[in-house]
Amino acid sequence: MFPWLAFGHILPFLQLAKIMAKKGHKISFVSTPRNIDRLPQLPPSLITFVKLPLPPVDGLPTTAEATSDLEIHAVSYLKRAYDLLQQPLAGFLRSSRPDWILFDYVPFWLPGVARDLGIPTAYFSIFLAGALGFLGPPSVLIDGGDYRKKPEDFTVAPNWVDFPTTVAYTYYDIKNTFDCVEDDASGVNDLIRIGLSARNCDVVTVRSCSEFDSDWLRLLDNIYEKPVLPVGQLPPPPPAAEADPTAWGSIKEWLDEQGSGSVVYVAFGSEAKPSQDQLTELALGIENSGLPFFWVLRTRRGESDPDEIELPPGFEERTRGRGIVCTSWAPQLRILGHDSVGGFLTHSGWSSVVEALSLRRALILLTFYSDQGINARVLEERELGYCIPRDESDGSFTRDSVAESLRVVMVSEEGKIYRDRAKEMSGLFGDRGRQSRYVDNLLAHLLNNE
């Protein structure tokens, strides 16, 4: 397995690796030393971790090995360094001779390397089938034949989607993401990487399940013209004992004092960082909602980020007792699983969505960039998430819209649909046995096509 150097990619790859390993398969998990050292400790016999040092690149801090270590504009330098892993990875493949390689979209060059060695490849997309379907066929992504040239063109479903859907980018979401359709410092943009990975692999695997994504999976079968296999939603296992039980103990003690379903959990993943204006409106909206909250706040992106964001003056004093702001790591799965948590204000990253829905938590959505905008529209279309109202042109929002959105989803009769739908969907997303059978189907395909 060879994931891209972002923890939103590494962790789903690791979850799939653990499921496969428990079914009796030998997994070599390839990444850089620092990223591997930051992963949860596993029994040594389960997965072999292979460390490939990241080559130095001008513009990339020597301590940066993941996207969360960097400001957004510097991620393209990480891609350039990642592309330089081609030769050391080829050396490892030559010596280890794996039966299959599961790879991410960034190493678009990997199918060619593997083909020369006689090794089949599976492109494993952590992006939703809806996101891949919206982007389109490989020919569109690779050859620049996309009729969509302006951000406005991405605000409606593309012409190859053959079923009714409201899934499309909002203008502000695509504006935030539009740099991915232009060349970056790595020399190859993300759309070309996705297109080449999908075109040149032997099979495409997607984090999805047919009960949730049947139309989009069928579309991918048509536009990719090769097998497209869902691997399930990869719900997390029950949390193991924390390395620092004292930290969880203090969090649990506070949560135990709150009413059932009353707390809003707020977290935007390892990478999404609000602007200072957004943070101010968010904080004042959370304050004005009157609801108890637990907020995991990321104030910087990596050590080199000079723009540290700050809460409004007096916010923590005014909300003391009603809410907690945590600026370090927090055990998200344990928090979401606590009975006092009723809703999750999230960036719509799919791992967070899967965790929340598997635990019956209603979703309030605030997107920032990348596939988050499509994820949010997929959830909105199914009445599984409520998007905070924003200005269509620039994505700005107000403290009043934040406060009202939280109250709608958490306590109002209008928002009961979101609470009920989250409970309904937990039967699908949280069913580890059903989701594990998708991995069985994938393994059967790989075994029959070595």
Side-chain angles (χ1 to χ4, degrees):
M1 292 205 172
F2 190 54
W4 166 229
L5 305 179
F7 280 94
H9 293 242
I10 292 171
L11 293 177
F13 267 78
L14 182 61
Q15 178 64 7
L16 180 57
K18 288 191 288 187
I19 296 170
M20 287 181 165
K22 287 177 180 176
K23 294 177 184 291
H25 298 272
K26 228 179 131 178
I27 309 291
S28 296
F29 197 94
V30 185
S31 190
T32 62
R34 190 167 181 229
N35 289 333
I36 288 174
D37 290 344
R38 287 187 278 189
L39 293 176
Q41 294 298 309
L42 299 176
S45 60
L46 200 59
I47 296 169
T48 300
F49 289 99
V50 179
K51 297 180 178 181
L52 295 184
L54 202 62
V57 163
D58 287 344
L60 183 68
T62 55
T63 58
E65 294 187 13
T67 54
S68 56
D69 299 326
L70 296 162
E71 298 174 79
I72 290 176
H73 71 82
V75 169
S76 58
Y77 299 107
L78 186 65
K79 286 180 196 163
R80 184 186 292 175
Y82 185 75
D83 288 340
L84 293 175
L85 291 176
Q86 181 170 339
Q87 286 190 345
L89 180 62
F92 168 73
L93 296 175
R94 238 178 251 110
S95 63
S96 61
R97 288 288 172 175
D99 297 303
W100 276 86
I101 302 167
L102 273 70
F103 71 102
D104 214 329
Y105 80 95
V106 177
F108 64 96
W109 37 264
L110 186 48
V113 172
R115 191 175 300 111
D116 290 343
L117 298 171
I119 305 169
T121 56
Y123 163 39
F124 173 35
S125 172
I126 63 98
F127 301 126
L128 280 187
L132 291 180
F134 188 87
L135 290 178
S139 58
V140 167
L141 302 175
I142 298 165
D143 302 329
D146 198 338
Y147 68 92
R148 301 172 297 183
K149 304 298 182 185
K150 307 185 298 298
E152 295 88 342
D153 299 332
F154 290 80
T155 61
V156 294
N159 56 22
W160 50 79
V161 175
D162 59 359
F163 54 88
T165 181
T166 58
V167 172
Y169 277 103
T170 60
Y171 182 80
Y172 53 82
D173 271 326
I174 193 60
K175 278 288 286 182
N176 287 344
T177 310
F178 210 60
D179 59 352
C180 76
V181 301
E182 298 176 358
D183 288 338
D184 57 29
S186 74
V188 184
N189 71 48
D190 280 351
L191 297 185
I192 293 175
R193 289 176 187 268
I194 292 171
L196 289 171
S197 295
R199 186 183 71 182
N200 296 331
C201 67
D202 295 290
V203 59
V204 175
T205 64
V206 188
R207 186 181 189 178
S208 188
C209 60
S210 57
E211 298 94 329
F212 187 76
D213 259 345
S214 58
D215 286 335
W216 289 106
L217 287 168
R218 179 184 53 77
L219 176 68
L220 289 182
D221 269 327
N222 293 337
I223 65 176
Y224 283 171
E225 300 179 315
K226 66 179 57 182
V228 176
L229 302 176
V231 301
Q233 298 291 354
L234 305 178
E242 299 297 332
D244 183 3
T246 306
W248 167 238
S250 60
I251 294 170
K252 182 179 183 298
E253 184 177 337
W254 183 83
L255 291 171
D256 286 344
E257 296 171 354
Q258 313 306 313
S260 177
S262 66
V263 175
V264 181
Y265 176 60
V266 185
F268 302 120
S270 60
E271 298 181 29
K273 174 191 155 189
S275 68
Q276 183 59 61
D277 287 344
Q278 289 174 330
L279 179 65
T280 298
E281 294 303 310
L282 262 174
L284 296 177
I286 290 169
E287 179 181 350
N288 293 345
S289 74
L291 296 168
F293 63 89
F294 191 100
W295 187 355
V296 181
L297 176 62
R298 182 177 173 82
T299 59
R300 297 171 68 190
R301 272 186 63 111
E303 298 172 1
S304 61
D305 185 354
D307 300 319
E308 184 170 5
I309 51 177
E310 297 180 348
L311 290 165
F315 171 81
E316 290 184 87
E317 290 77 11
R318 294 191 301 271
T319 59
R320 182 166 287 121
R322 177 162 69 84
I324 290 178
V325 177
C326 173
T327 55
S328 59
W329 178 85
Q332 177 162 297
L333 203 58
R334 284 188 176 275
I335 295 169
L336 284 172
H338 195 281
D339 182 63
S340 69
V341 175
F344 183 10
L345 174 52
T346 173
H347 60 311
S348 308
W350 203 249
S351 290
S352 291
V353 168
V354 170
E355 291 179 2
L357 291 180
S358 67
L359 292 167
R360 304 157 61 97
R361 302 301 174 234
L363 296 170
I364 309 100
L365 310 175
L366 185 69
T367 58
F368 291 90
Y369 61 92
S370 189
D371 60 322
Q372 297 164 17
I374 293 296
N375 293 351
R377 302 291 91 69
V378 167
L379 293 166
E380 190 176 44
E381 184 177 67
R382 290 165 169 76
E383 296 184 302
L384 287 168
Y386 184 91
C387 294
I388 291 177
R390 304 170 74 167
D391 184 282
E392 283 295 318
S393 61
D394 62 12
S396 60
F397 53 87
T398 67
R399 62 199 70 176
D400 292 339
S401 66
V402 172
E404 179 60 21
S405 298
L406 294 177
R407 287 193 292 261
V408 163
V409 173
M410 293 291 292
V411 298
S412 79
E413 186 62 28
E414 175 191 351
K416 186 173 183 294
I417 181 64
Y418 301 102
R419 302 191 293 274
D420 290 346
R421 289 283 289 139
K423 292 171 185 173
E424 292 169 19
M425 201 53 58
S426 68
L428 173 61
F429 279 62
D431 188 337
R432 294 185 186 89
R434 183 194 298 193
Q435 299 299 331
S436 178
R437 286 192 285 275
Y438 281 98
V439 180
D440 291 334
N441 292 337
L442 170 63
L443 288 168
H445 180 92
L446 300 184
L447 286 164
N448 290 328
N449 293 273
E450 290 181 38

